[in-house]
Each structure stands twice: as C-alpha cells, then as structure tokens.
Amino acid sequence: MRRSRIVSTGSYVPEKVLTNVDLEKMVDTSDEWIIERTGIKERRIADEGQAASDLAYEASKGALKDAHLKPEDLDLIIVSTVTGDMPFPSTACILQDKLGAKKATAFDINAACSGFLYGLYVADSFIKSGIHKRILIVGTEVLSRITDWDDRTTCILFGDGAGASIIEPSEEERGIISMHIYSDGSMWDLLNMPGGGSRNPASKNSIEKGLHFIKMKGNETFKVAVRKLEDLAVKILEENKLEPSQISLLIPHQANLRIIQAIVERLGIPMDKVCINIDRYGNTSAASIPIALDEAVRTGKVKEGDYILLEAFGGGLTWASALIKW
Ligand code: COA
C-alpha cells in the first residue's frame, strides 16, 4: 500500500435559509457590511429537531452511495464537531447506530474548524499503519444552537451543515500526499464556548451570563488565521517542490472571504481555482471543507491526477493542511 485515498464524498445542508436581510431585522447590521467584511450572503439553519448526527447521517449516506458501499463495510467512523448531539456519548457512536455500521469503531475529534483535517490526518495514519481499512470521516456542525443571536459580531458568521468522506488504502500514486496539523493552546481564549463543561457547568447563572454561546475576538483571530494559513500554504508547496500554478484547486476553510483572498494573493493562485461557498453557507466550522470538497467533486471541478490543497484554521488554536493528488 502506497497511500490512503479519498474514494467518495457526500454533504448535506439544512433547507432553511437565513439571509443577511433577515439578520438586519434581528441585530444592528446590514447586508452591505456583512458582504464587504465577510463575503457571506446567507447561511443554512437546522430544523428544531435536527442535531449534528442527523446532518452527519445525510452526508454519510451520500458518501456511502457514491462509493457503492454498505454501512457494514466501514471499520472506523470519525466525527469532527464542536456541536455534537450531547457532551457524551460521542456523536460518532450515535451516527454508527443511525447508519447500522455494526463493524465500525467510532469516536469524535474536537479541533473546531480544523476538525475535518485533523480527522483526515488520523485516518491517513491509521490506513498507512494498516490498523483500519475503510474509514468514514464526517465534519458536522449545528452552530446555530451555540450562536448568540443578539451579538452582531458573531451571529452573522455561522451556519449549519455536514460533509463526509470515505478513505481507503490505495496502491496507486494518487491519494493523500502530505498532511500537517498544528496547535497553539496559548491562544485558546480567542475563540471558545466557555459554558457547559467542567469549568462552567450549565446552570442558571451560566445561562444568564451567556456562557453557552460562541465567544470570539474576531479581529485578533483574523490576523493569526491569515498569517498561519499563508505560511502553511507556502511551506507545503516548498516541501513538495510544487509551484502554485501546479495546484488545480484550493479548498480553504470558509471563515471569511478576506482571509481566503489574502492566501490566494500570497500564493498567486487565480480565484477561479479556489472553492468558495461561504457566500451560501457562512462558516460551518468542521463541515466547511468536506462540503466544499463534495461540491467540487460533484460539479467536476476536480479531476483525476489534479493536485488539490486543503487548509483549515480554527479554535484551539488549531490549523491544518492536506495536499492530495486526486
Ligand atoms: N454589522 C455592522 N457592524 C459591525 C458588525 C456587524 N455585524 N460586527 C461588528 N461591527 C462593527 C464593530 O462594532 C466595529 O465598530 P467600531 O469600529 O465602531 O468599534 C467595526 O464593525 C469593526 O469591527 P471589527 O471586529 O474590527 O471588524 P472586522 O473587520 O475584524 O470584521 C469579523 C469582523 C468577525 C468579520 C472578522 O474579524 C473575522 O472574520 N474574524 C475571523 C473569523 C475567523 O477566522 N474565525 C476563525 C476560524 S472559525
């Protein structure tokens, strides 16, 4: 076995659309400000009855169908999420039950918006070591449940969705070429949800203080994200002796269009080689990259033999990349 390879993808977004104009009626903001500062026009919001595992289930069904596989064919399920159905058990176990993937082991990964690439890193290592042979990785988020809809600095940013990929060993040259994951816990306070854990357990007091909502120092996070993602992209290309022009598709985490534009300018990649869906879905955290990848596959944007570069940045802080020969 030479490499691990993504053999199929799937994704799901809830039907309900919340536009910037809708948000104008909820907080002091404007469609123009949101588009100019973030690139977001609308986002999807899960139905009351939908939890992270429900979105994950829909995305996973798509990936299984695409690969002509049955749930019993999976031997590992990794779910990346910060909005799991409940603190425990893992959303991966709930998804395993929903799918009927009786032969799979299942666990969650928490790396915020870098979660899907952290999951891919773990899956790639397990496949290369021979421990697992067929792994489902899902990024799924219902961020609307931890969004403070009175806070204009964050509520405009987030949306709900899920994306899934199935990874297998490959004897071919194509597959996952190089992966990197990084963390810097010294900046954990830039982006977090302080309530509901052992530090600030759920209580009347924690709810009154709004600790069950996302808190973000947006401007500082923005600056670190740009620097880390630019530097990482340059490093990956250098390490693999690739010119930017050899990258057929860049799939960045969709946190802010201006962050994506900064990376693209630094690399000198044209925008038509970049997957953008932030305008339609906002920031869906761990789901943003697998949703964008699935859209790229289904619309024929990615072809066999193409080099594609995936890059993520999120709370932790965490950041990560994957270079893939498709
Ligand atoms: N509508 C109108 N005005 C708003 C607003 C909104 N929704 N949100 C903030 N503002 C105002 C602020 O109050 C501030 O006003 P002031 O100058 O009078 O104080 C002004 O706009 C600028 O705020 P600032 O926070 O500096 O804006 P920004 O250009 O940094 O954009 C974000 C804010 C959140 C869009 C941006 O910082 C961002 O995308 N951050 C990073 C997100 C990210 O990468 N997350 C990590 C991965 S998930």
Side-chain angles (χ1 to χ4, degrees):
M1 193 257 308
R2 300 178 67 165
R3 297 193 194 286
S4 60
R5 191 166 82 80
I6 297 178
V7 295
S8 72
T9 61
S11 64
Y12 172 78
V13 290
E15 272 169 39
K16 187 179 168 193
V17 175
L18 185 73
T19 65
N20 291 349
V21 176
D22 295 329
L23 280 167
E24 284 178 356
K25 294 172 203 140
M26 296 161 66
V27 287
D28 180 15
T29 191
S30 69
D31 183 34
E32 295 74 29
W33 192 94
I34 301 173
I35 292 176
E36 193 194 308
R37 305 309 294 164
T38 71
I40 301 167
K41 293 179 182 155
E42 56 187 45
R43 68 288 291 142
R44 300 300 177 98
I45 305 293
D47 276 349
E48 239 173 66
Q50 282 181 312
S53 69
D54 301 314
L55 276 54
Y57 175 69
E58 296 301 331
S60 304
K61 274 199 308 190
L64 284 165
K65 189 169 172 227
D66 201 21
H68 307 289
L69 290 172
K70 296 190 289 300
E72 302 88 299
D73 297 326
L74 300 170
D75 64 4
L76 179 64
I77 298 173
I78 302 175
V79 170
S80 299
T81 184
V82 294
T83 49
D85 288 27
M86 49 189 93
F88 76 91
S90 69
T91 300
C93 281
I94 298 171
L95 177 63
Q96 179 207 12
D97 178 49
K98 279 199 162 80
L99 287 169
K102 293 192 188 319
K103 294 183 187 152
T105 307
F107 61 81
D108 284 2
I109 284 184
N110 177 343
C113 303
S114 310
F116 181 78
L117 292 188
Y118 266 59
L120 195 60
Y121 180 90
V122 172
D124 182 46
S125 312
F126 279 165
I127 296 263
K128 282 185 184 145
S129 69
I131 295 174
H132 290 284
K133 300 237 157 358
R134 194 168 283 134
I135 305 176
L136 171 70
I137 309 162
V138 191
T140 181
E141 300 287 7
V142 190
L143 293 168
S144 60
R145 299 278 150 72
I146 61 165
T147 297
D148 181 350
W149 293 104
D150 292 326
D151 174 11
R152 70 172 183 172
T153 68
T154 54
C155 77
I156 54 150
L157 298 171
F158 302 109
D160 303 336
S165 294
I166 293 174
I167 322 292
E168 289 181 4
S170 164
E171 294 304 326
E172 298 170 60
E173 195 214 337
R174 65 198 185 115
I176 296 173
I177 301 221
S178 103
M179 290 224 61
H180 290 80
I181 62 170
Y182 298 96
S183 318
D184 184 349
S186 71
M187 288 184 275
W188 69 266
D189 65 326
L190 291 188
L191 180 53
N192 56 61
M193 187 186 93
S198 54
R199 178 76 52 200
N200 301 293
S203 66
K204 197 165 165 253
N205 186 38
S206 77
I207 291 178
E208 274 165 12
K209 285 185 176 158
L211 301 185
H212 55 300
F213 293 133
I214 301 171
K215 313 284 176 205
M216 182 167 76
K217 293 176 184 158
N219 204 276
E220 286 170 62
T221 310
F222 183 96
K223 287 179 198 151
V224 187
V226 169
R227 204 173 58 240
K228 295 293 184 196
L229 291 175
E230 280 186 8
D231 290 350
L232 183 54
V234 170
K235 175 186 155 81
I236 304 307
L237 294 182
E238 277 175 9
E239 263 182 25
N240 292 281
K241 299 186 174 49
L242 288 173
E243 293 299 321
S245 59
Q246 289 175 272
I247 299 295
S248 301
L249 207 57
L250 173 68
I251 307 186
H253 170 50
Q254 314 278 311
N256 188 314
L257 187 59
R258 290 184 292 137
I259 296 178
I260 298 173
Q261 283 163 341
I263 305 168
V264 165
E265 270 169 38
R266 169 93 178 264
L267 291 182
I269 290 180
M271 267 319 258
D272 62 359
K273 284 187 172 182
V274 185
C275 286
I276 304 288
N277 62 25
I278 191 170
D279 52 333
R280 288 172 288 136
Y281 305 141
N283 179 350
T284 56
S285 189
S288 91
I289 288 182
I291 293 173
L293 177 63
D294 184 49
E295 289 185 341
V297 170
R298 285 178 200 281
T299 55
K301 262 193 176 174
V302 51
K303 293 174 200 65
E304 192 174 323
D306 280 355
Y307 281 110
I308 65 171
L309 179 60
L310 281 51
E311 266 207 316
F313 183 89
L317 295 177
T318 56
W319 59 104
S321 68
L323 177 69
I324 298 173
K325 188 165 187 184
W326 197 257

